[in-house]
Amino acid sequence: MEMGFYFYCACCFFIIFSKETAAIDTISPSDSLTDGMTLVSNDGSFALGFFSPGTSNNRYLGIWYNNTPMQNVVWVANRANPINDSTGLLKIESSGKLVLQVQNTTAVWSTNMTASVENPVLQLLDSGNLVVRDGNDSNPENYYWQSFDYPSDTMLPGMKIGIDLRTGLHRRLAAWKNWDDPSPGDLTYGVELEGNPEMVLRKGVEKYYRSGLWNGDGFSGTPNLRSNPIFDYDFIWNENEVYYIYFLKNKSVMSRFVLNQTESVRQRYTWNPETQTWKLFSIMPSDYCDRSGLCGPNGNCDNNKLPACQCLTRFRPKLLERWNSSDWSDGCIHSKPLNCQSGDGFIKIAKVKTPDTPNSWVNKTMNLKECRDKCLRNCSCMAFTNLDVTRGGSGCAMWFGDLIDIKQFQSDGQDLYIRVSASEAELKKNAKMKLGIILGTVIAALLVFVLGICYIRRSRRKLKDKVEDKNVNDNENEDENEDMELAVFAFGTIAQATDTFSFNNKLGEGGFGPVYKGTLANGQEIAVKRLSRSSGQGLNEFKNEVKLIVKLQHRNLVRLLGCCIHGDERMLVYEYMPNRSLDSFIFDQMRSKVLTWSKRFQIICGIARGLLYLHQDSRLRIIHRDLKASNVLLDTQMNPKISDFGMARTFGGEQTEANTNRVVGTYGYMAPEYATDGMFSVKSDVFSFGIVLLEIISGKKNRGFYHANQSGNLVEHAWRLWEEGKPLDVADDFLVETGDLSELLRCIHISLLCVQQHPEERPSMSSVVVMLVSHNELPSPKQPGFLFCNKPFEADCSSGNDRSSSRNEISISLLEAR
Ligand SMILES: *[C@@H]1O[C@H](CO)[C@@H](O)[C@H](O)[C@H]1NC(C)=O
Ligand SMILES: *[C@@H]1O[C@H](CO)[C@@H](O)[C@H](O)[C@H]1NC(C)=O
Ligand SMILES: *[C@@H]1O[C@H](CO)[C@@H](O)[C@H](O)[C@H]1NC(C)=O
Ligand SMILES: *[C@@H]1O[C@H](CO)[C@@H](O)[C@H](O)[C@H]1NC(C)=O
Ligand SMILES: *[C@@H]1O[C@H](CO)[C@@H](O)[C@H](O)[C@H]1NC(C)=O
Ligand SMILES: *[C@@H]1O[C@H](CO)[C@@H](O)[C@H](O)[C@H]1NC(C)=O
Ligand SMILES: *[C@@H]1O[C@H](CO)[C@@H](O)[C@H](O)[C@H]1NC(C)=O
Ligand SMILES: *[C@@H]1O[C@H](CO)[C@@H](O)[C@H](O)[C@H]1NC(C)=O
Ligand SMILES: *[C@@H]1O[C@H](CO)[C@@H](O)[C@H](O)[C@H]1NC(C)=O
């Protein structure tokens, strides 16, 4: 009674003098907290008191959010020992021990204090942490006891979930049994220390969800969380402690993370102040593939495939019949048996969640090469990867025996190197071979071209087949035969695949109409371009043109699978590219980090080769006319594929330039002579290529480029820096810091050559391809088109009237380049 009176007065006192601090947040040994009273943290965000959950009449001592209308309990003291009346009383003994008493005598809950404290106080902090500390000492290091060390089902910001290796304290979440009963259910979440430590959600003894390894930047199982607007998180692993922790980015945007027994999930909620409700922000496991180990040993779970369970590359189902009947439990085995003695190799599986850890081993200082060597020497080592991508990929993790619970991501995730037989590993080319292939392709293309010139006068018909064969052979992965019939899809098939062109399936809007994603009945993913009706082309004309485009097969061109004709509507059906387009990476602050310089260089070379193929296919000679970053799509391996080629116009073989009264293209990428006079040639594509190149290097858009105290576009900026002798300044800092500077410099140089004002001065694509990989001296670039123009279409800014990009000149510059 006395205590109640004391509290009452304290409250009145505070209400009178301060509206905000209406309660006290500490009690000392002379005080106690009875049922009906609350302790409120200094800023009012949390309260400690007695409550009854759901429909239960039992009383529990707990902490809840104080400023939300519903009582969201975040911590419970006597989880498993409910009080059946309102005689509960919390007191702090003079030794610092907390005791929760019932009926004045029975202790239903108490803390285990070993040391005795001189001058203890109990305080509820603004973080929601209830602590016992020395009255004179508020250093968190010296707390005698804290509720954050004994979490219930909720993880609050600043709380550590993990293990203190010095004391053995294991902080782990356990869900409430149900809405009415806070006693621990069998759903738990905590750190597990076998091999490489990671976070594990368990239901009973079953592993339900794993985070995958921590790579310094995030967990390999949740790559999409790395840059979220709500919270920052970290995983600490040192000789003293292993734990997961998170902090709010904006303290006023509340977020909590809670286990839900009934749904068997880990949920994160964020507070929406407008609606005064908690909004579900994320949920784990969130999809089929998050559930641990569904695809059996050596399976790879990919939600974008049907069925989601696939064998790892170079593996096959162990029991085909059961695998075919969707029983994945037997998993997969190597397609070609390993032979450890005579030497195995590794192939890289990109963007995955790393396998389960029981048979894993780690060393935090080894580098990737040492890791590979060590793994190769141990015949039972089946995979390895590096640990910390933020510190240059130091650290080594290895897995022995079967690889369990790998999940495939599309755009981000860890690279895993898996052991395969030497012959299988060789299929994967190494860097040197790649260069060889590039050079080989160039030489072959030259040969084709020279052949083309020789044959063209004799027989165009004969030539067609030869060149086609040649090109098909040159480009690995190509398996199309020339006489392939045009696939005409039924309208019903396409409508079904795209969910009748539903808005959800729309990928974007191209220059010639909207594009939809679709999935055919056999599981194949397609992209459907629905051409605008205004094209006014006849049926046969359309079919013939599609037939021509279908025959253009190159690994750097998006493959056209066929078409669909329905009334006066025309559709083109393409292979689907899961990574979308280049612009979605290079212009995005976070996603751009995925594209390291070496990847970008590969992409640049790929675009160049694709364009070369279009320009030099002697039969068609396609000028793209709308090359831009958003027309370069990326496959799962980030190989570039040019799309929308052949859309604007297809030509006969001898035509190299033409005049058009309808300019198609995109401002910012168009060559001056094309934009102003409608003159287009292979060299106007070269100009666009130069712009794309600059955009890849700088991570900035040519159009809409802004630089403090300078006017003009990206090209102008690059040119200015070139003239000032600091060309590298145009490149993204991230590339300068991590990339190959001589390659980078060379690409800047080439880009400036491509955007020169006069078309005849720009190199042809065949020269560009050679320049990219050779180390020869390059000519100095002359002033680019559109220089020093605020409005790019003023007449005096461009001069494209005299043009002479003829076939002969192309061959001459080719020979020179060699
Ligand atoms: C409440 O619990 C006490 C023991 O903790 C028990 O003796 C008592 O009978 C219970 N009262 C009711 C109403 O269940
Ligand atoms: C609790 O015990 C104290 C003495 O230890 C006594 O003064 C008080 O009246 C008791 N209260 C109840 C509710 O039994
Ligand atoms: C006290 O220690 C026991 C056994 O070590 C443990 O089960 C219990 O959870 C501890 N209680 C608190 C409140 O820390
Ligand atoms: C703080 O410590 C001093 C001496 O160390 C002691 O006299 C004083 O009572 C303490 N104050 C509190 C609030 O604990
Ligand atoms: C568990 O999740 C479901 C669905 O999100 C929700 O309705 C329910 O209230 C949650 N239960 C608890 C105890 O949070
Ligand atoms: C934090 O969030 C509040 C409420 O949404 C907003 O008003 C405030 O500007 C944010 N602060 C920062 C630094 O972003
Ligand atoms: C399993 O499916 C594959 C591919 O669909 C098929 O080639 C194979 O014959 C099937 N095998 C069995 C045993 O069903
Ligand atoms: C880890 O690797 C380093 C060499 O990089 C080695 O010196 C160290 O002994 C290794 N640690 C263990 C535990 O194997
Ligand atoms: C391979 O590694 C496993 C697991 O660390 C170990 O038990 C085994 O002895 C190693 N074998 C060899 C040959 O080093």
Side-chain angles (χ1 to χ4, degrees):
M1 285 310 285
E2 265 173 30
M3 276 340 295
F5 180 69
Y6 172 85
F7 265 78
Y8 180 68
C9 281
C11 292
C12 298
F13 187 84
F14 276 100
I15 287 165
I16 290 163
F17 291 100
S18 149
K19 276 195 173 152
E20 285 176 10
T21 333
I24 54 164
D25 65 347
T26 49
I27 46 180
S28 51
S30 54
D31 317 325
S32 61
L33 186 77
T34 57
D35 200 335
M37 294 166 26
T38 53
L39 206 59
V40 176
S41 68
N42 185 43
D43 70 354
S45 42
F46 289 96
L48 169 78
F50 291 85
F51 72 98
S52 293
T55 57
S56 161
N57 291 322
N58 287 333
R59 302 296 284 169
Y60 295 88
L61 176 73
I63 299 172
W64 56 85
Y65 281 97
N66 189 41
N67 42 19
T68 63
M70 60 291 269
Q71 190 180 49
N72 291 104
V73 174
V74 297
W75 181 78
V76 185
N78 53 324
R79 290 189 79 169
N81 296 310
I83 301 170
N84 60 11
D85 56 25
S86 56
T87 62
L89 175 147
L90 174 71
K91 64 179 187 185
I92 175 168
E93 294 181 345
S94 55
S95 65
K97 181 176 177 172
L98 293 180
V99 182
L100 179 58
Q101 284 186 340
V102 189
Q103 315 258 1
N104 229 352
T105 48
T106 340
V108 294
W109 176 85
S110 69
T111 58
N112 305 327
M113 295 282 296
T114 45
S116 149
V117 189
E118 274 298 300
N119 176 27
V121 295
L122 177 69
Q123 182 178 19
L124 180 60
L125 303 178
D126 292 341
S127 58
N129 193 5
L130 182 69
V131 304
V132 174
R133 60 178 179 86
D134 186 300
N136 270 346
D137 183 358
S138 54
N139 179 355
E141 295 285 303
N142 299 333
Y143 291 158
Y144 292 103
W145 180 89
Q146 51 183 323
S147 63
F148 271 16
D149 281 346
Y150 304 92
S152 297
D153 67 337
T154 305
M155 182 177 178
L156 292 173
M159 198 173 205
K160 297 173 178 177
I161 295 297
I163 303 174
D164 188 323
L165 301 169
R166 294 160 298 190
T167 62
L169 179 67
H170 195 152
R171 306 181 195 94
R172 185 167 45 189
L173 300 178
W176 285 24
K177 269 218 171 93
N178 57 53
W179 197 240
D180 295 332
D181 182 1
S183 60
D186 68 354
L187 189 73
T188 59
Y189 184 73
V191 165
E192 298 203 356
L193 283 180
E194 293 166 307
N196 189 48
E198 58 182 27
M199 303 303 294
V200 176
L201 182 71
R202 274 184 190 267
K203 187 158 167 52
V205 290
E206 186 196 347
K207 265 194 191 181
Y208 215 60
Y209 167 76
R210 306 166 36 244
S211 66
L213 69 70
W214 176 263
N215 68 6
D217 188 27
F219 291 108
S220 68
T222 50
N224 55 334
L225 272 188
R226 280 179 203 171
S227 54
N228 75 78
I230 307 291
F231 61 98
D232 291 316
Y233 58 110
D234 206 351
F235 184 76
I236 306 294
W237 173 27
N238 55 38
E239 58 278 12
N240 297 329
E241 300 181 279
V242 189
Y243 62 85
Y244 168 60
I245 194 166
Y246 75 90
F247 299 98
L248 298 182
K249 287 193 166 152
N250 180 343
K251 292 272 185 316
S252 56
V253 181
M254 293 192 289
S255 167
R256 72 195 160 100
F257 156 161
V258 62
L259 298 191
N260 187 321
Q261 179 78 37
T262 41
E263 306 273 316
S264 295
V265 289
R266 201 195 81 182
Q267 299 168 321
R268 180 183 285 282
Y269 290 94
T270 55
W271 179 250
N272 184 338
E274 267 137 48
T275 58
Q276 291 282 297
T277 51
W278 290 98
K279 199 168 141 276
L280 194 58
F281 176 82
S282 67
I283 194 164
M284 281 298 161
S286 66
D287 61 32
Y288 182 79
C289 290
D290 275 335
R291 283 284 307 282
S292 200
L294 280 174
C295 294
N298 307 312
N300 185 1
C301 196
D302 186 344
N303 275 309
N304 285 312
K305 296 243 168 82
L306 251 179
C309 283
Q310 305 276 319
C311 283
L312 284 167
T313 315
R314 315 264 190 270
F315 281 68
R316 61 177 169 82
K318 188 172 178 193
L319 301 173
L320 193 55
E321 210 158 310
R322 284 165 86 167
W323 187 266
N324 278 5
S325 65
S326 304
D327 175 357
W328 325 115
S329 55
D330 299 295
C332 306
I333 53 173
H334 281 98
S335 326
K336 293 229 180 96
L338 298 178
N339 189 341
C340 190
Q341 268 66 40
S342 69
D344 292 327
F346 293 93
I347 57 165
K348 181 164 105 178
I349 309 284
K351 306 188 189 87
V352 293
K353 167 160 130 183
T354 53
D356 201 357
T357 55
N359 302 313
S360 69
W361 178 92
V362 273
N363 179 318
K364 287 206 272 186
T365 53
M366 271 166 129
N367 64 31
L368 197 59
K369 166 118 195 356
E370 292 168 327
C371 192
R372 182 184 191 281
D373 292 347
K374 187 171 169 82
C375 187
L376 196 58
R377 281 198 306 271
N378 185 326
C379 293
S380 53
C381 177
M382 289 301 148
F384 69 91
T385 187
N386 52 338
L387 282 182
D388 197 336
V389 294
T390 58
R391 283 178 301 160
S394 69
C396 167
M398 283 177 208
W399 286 265
F400 303 94
D402 286 333
L403 304 172
I404 315 273
D405 195 26
I406 296 177
K407 176 180 176 182
Q408 183 71 56
F409 293 98
Q410 297 308 310
S411 58
D412 210 347
Q414 185 83 7
D415 291 342
L416 184 70
Y417 300 84
I418 58 175
R419 188 186 205 104
V420 293
S421 74
S423 61
E424 296 269 37
E426 272 162 15
L427 294 175
K428 208 74 179 166
K429 28 188 190 323
N430 61 28
K432 268 184 200 156
M433 283 172 70
K434 253 186 225 164
L435 189 70
I437 287 169
I438 295 174
L439 283 173
T441 312
V442 170
I443 290 165
L446 282 177
L447 256 172
V448 171
F449 190 69
V450 171
L451 270 178
I453 290 177
C454 300
Y455 275 70
I456 202 153
R457 289 176 199 118
R458 280 205 251 157
S459 153
R460 276 189 67 197
R461 179 64 225 165
K462 252 188 197 168
L463 173 74
K464 249 187 214 174
D465 305 356
K466 251 204 177 108
V467 170
E468 194 69 36
D469 289 349
K470 194 85 189 154
N471 277 323
V472 166
N473 294 341
D474 290 341
N475 302 298
E476 354 124 49
N477 305 353
E478 296 306 344
D479 47 13
E480 301 305 312
N481 56 335
E482 172 168 29
D483 296 318
M484 188 177 72
E485 265 307 301
L486 173 64
V488 180
F489 292 83
F491 181 72
T493 311
I494 299 298
Q496 192 177 10
T498 58
D499 208 358
T500 49
F501 304 100
S502 79
F503 179 75
N504 288 341
N505 283 24
K506 190 164 167 178
L507 293 171
E509 186 89 39
F512 301 87
V515 186
Y516 297 86
K517 181 184 172 180
T519 310
L520 295 177
N522 66 4
Q524 186 182 9
E525 291 183 313
I526 53 173
V528 179
K529 181 176 275 266
R530 211 174 181 182
L531 299 176
S532 321
R533 282 165 205 250
S534 60
S535 71
Q537 215 176 18
L539 187 62
N540 282 334
E541 226 179 323
F542 173 73
K543 272 195 176 173
N544 283 337
E545 198 143 318
V546 173
K547 264 187 196 160
L548 289 179
I549 301 175
V550 163
K551 286 180 185 165
L552 291 174
Q553 299 281 351
H554 187 275
R555 60 198 302 256
N556 295 115
L557 301 183
V558 171
R559 182 177 299 186
L560 181 64
L561 302 173
C563 66
C564 171
I565 299 163
H566 179 66
D568 61 349
E569 189 160 19
R570 312 281 144 80
M571 281 163 257
L572 295 174
V573 180
Y574 292 94
E575 61 177 331
Y576 173 69
M577 291 291 130
N579 276 331
R580 305 284 183 92
S581 52
L582 183 59
D583 63 330
S584 70
F585 281 88
I586 56 177
F587 302 138
D588 182 285
Q589 214 172 5
M590 292 316 298
R591 301 231 292 169
S592 67
K593 299 286 183 285
V594 176
L595 292 185
T596 57
W597 172 249
S598 62
K599 282 220 182 89
R600 288 184 199 220
F601 187 66
Q602 276 173 22
I603 289 173
I604 291 167
C605 292
I607 302 171
R609 270 177 274 149
L611 207 51
L612 172 66
Y613 175 81
L614 287 178
H615 285 180
Q616 291 203 344
D617 177 274
S618 61
R619 222 160 26 100
L620 286 178
R621 181 176 280 267
I622 300 272
I623 296 179
H624 191 295
R625 294 214 277 165
D626 196 14
L627 182 71
K628 53 185 172 181
S630 59
N631 269 342
V632 175
L633 306 184
L634 297 171
D635 73 4
T636 44
Q637 268 89 49
M638 291 289 182
N639 295 313
K641 303 213 174 205
I642 299 174
S643 74
D644 261 7
F645 51 88
M647 294 297 291
R649 180 176 291 204
T650 48
F651 285 74
E654 280 170 85
Q655 206 168 356
T656 57
E657 60 184 81
N659 195 306
T660 175
N661 48 18
R662 194 170 82 95
V663 171
V664 300
T666 306
Y667 294 140
Y669 291 92
M670 269 191 275
E673 73 278 6
Y674 180 35
T676 54
D677 302 335
M679 293 304 307
F680 64 92
S681 65
V682 287
K683 295 298 184 72
S684 40
D685 273 356
V686 170
F687 184 93
S688 309
F689 173 79
I691 302 285
V692 172
L693 191 45
L694 266 184
E695 291 184 331
I696 294 174
I697 293 165
S698 66
K700 299 199 178 68
K701 290 184 186 162
N702 184 39
R703 214 170 129 75
F705 173 80
Y706 172 78
H707 190 272
N709 65 41
Q710 271 184 24
S711 63
N713 52 24
L714 176 61
V715 173
E716 193 178 328
H717 180 60
W719 173 247
R720 197 175 277 143
L721 291 169
W722 177 269
E723 292 226 295
E724 286 167 8
K726 38 186 187 183
L728 276 174
D729 283 10
V730 79
D732 189 331
D733 289 343
F734 151 71
L735 299 177
V736 176
E737 281 155 21
T738 57
D740 177 333
L741 292 187
S742 69
E743 251 174 32
L744 201 52
L745 201 55
R746 199 168 181 82
C747 285
I748 295 171
H749 194 151
I750 294 171
S751 72
L752 288 173
L753 289 173
C754 291
V755 298
Q756 289 175 108
Q757 183 165 13
H758 298 286
E760 62 276 12
E761 282 164 353
R762 296 174 206 147
S764 62
M765 282 320 293
S766 47
S767 323
V768 168
V769 168
V770 173
M771 286 176 185
L772 281 169
V773 293
S774 75
H775 295 279
N776 299 341
E777 191 89 355
L778 300 177
S780 292
K782 299 211 180 92
Q783 168 167 308
F786 294 144
L787 191 54
F788 307 124
C789 278
N790 290 332
K791 291 197 206 96
F793 300 108
E794 280 169 17
D796 58 335
C797 293
S798 59
S799 77
N801 290 338
D802 52 335
R803 63 265 148 197
S804 58
S805 57
S806 70
R807 183 174 284 268
N808 284 342
E809 191 203 294
I810 291 172
S811 61
I812 287 164
S813 54
L814 266 173
L815 294 173
E816 277 169 359
R818 270 152 59 81

